[in-house]
Every structure is written in C-alpha cells, then in structure tokens.
Amino acid sequence: MTGRQDESPTALRNTGPKGRLYRARQLKELLRGLLGHPIGQAEDELKHWVFRASRSRIPEIVEPARKIRCRRPDILRTIGPGYPNARLEAFNNRIKVTIRMAYGFQRVTNLISLIMLRCGGLDIRLPEPVS
C-alpha cells in the first residue's frame, strides 16, 4: 500500500463506537489474506478467524462468521487446489453454456459426457488428409 492508503485504516481506529469499523476492516483483511496460504495454515487461520469474528459483536461480521463456520469444509476444499476464483468462474460459465447447448438431450449421461469432453482438457483433433 502507498503511504496514504496505509494511513486510512489507522484513521478508522478512532471513528465509530468502540472502533467497530476498524475491527471490521481488520477482520475482512484477515479473511482475504488467508485465501493465499497453503491448506494447513489456511485451516488454522480460518478457525482463528471464525473465533475472532463470532465474538466481535459486529452484526455484519457475526452473521458471515456463522455461515463460514457451517461451510468450512467447502471453503477449505476450494482453497486446497489453489485455483484462482476467475478460473473457477470460467469453468462454471463453460458448464452453463454446455448445459444450454445440450437442451433437448434425452439422457443426463449424454450431458455429463459433453461436459467432460469440453472441460476435461482433452486435445481432440480430426485426422488431416495425407497429401
């Protein structure tokens, strides 16, 4: 962060009742930072974050902490492979487009096969004529 950007979180410390805005920003940054860690460290930090957030008495933080506690295995499963969110969204979009393409298929297995072909990473090339 630049010097000015670094000063702004510190200025938040004295605003609001009991520094809630400052604590909320700290918790947000902790959660954001944990996504870049290896899975073992991320698991410990997520547990620590949920503990701190659920006791923060900030309703806007306590509610997501409750949801994150319930979805912890799913969050850790997402952090594990280390794929960025953009790549996951691209796969999601590709699957949705494939589902639209497969409209009218009589069997779900055909749809699943088409998704596996499009997202599986296979390089299928048609044979070229020999001259």
Side-chain angles (χ1 to χ4, degrees), residues 1 9 12 20-30:
M1 284 196 273
L12 291 176
R20 281 186 172 186
L21 188 58
Y22 178 72
R23 288 184 302 143
R25 187 174 192 285
Q26 273 187 323
L27 287 167
K28 179 198 69 109
E29 290 300 322
L30 282 173

Side-chain angles (χ1 to χ4, degrees), residues 4-50:
R4 186 173 177 188
Q5 290 172 336
D6 196 31
E7 291 172 7
S8 61
T10 310
L12 291 176
R13 183 175 292 190
N14 299 324
T15 61
K18 300 178 185 175
R20 281 186 172 186
L21 188 58
Y22 178 72
R23 288 184 302 143
R25 187 174 192 285
Q26 273 187 323
L27 287 167
K28 179 198 69 109
E29 290 300 322
L30 282 173
L31 184 62
R32 199 176 120 226
L34 106 110
L35 296 176
H37 294 296
I39 187 68
Q41 186 180 359
E43 189 172 0
D44 294 337
E45 287 189 23
L46 186 62
K47 184 186 255 183
H48 180 70
W49 186 90
V50 168

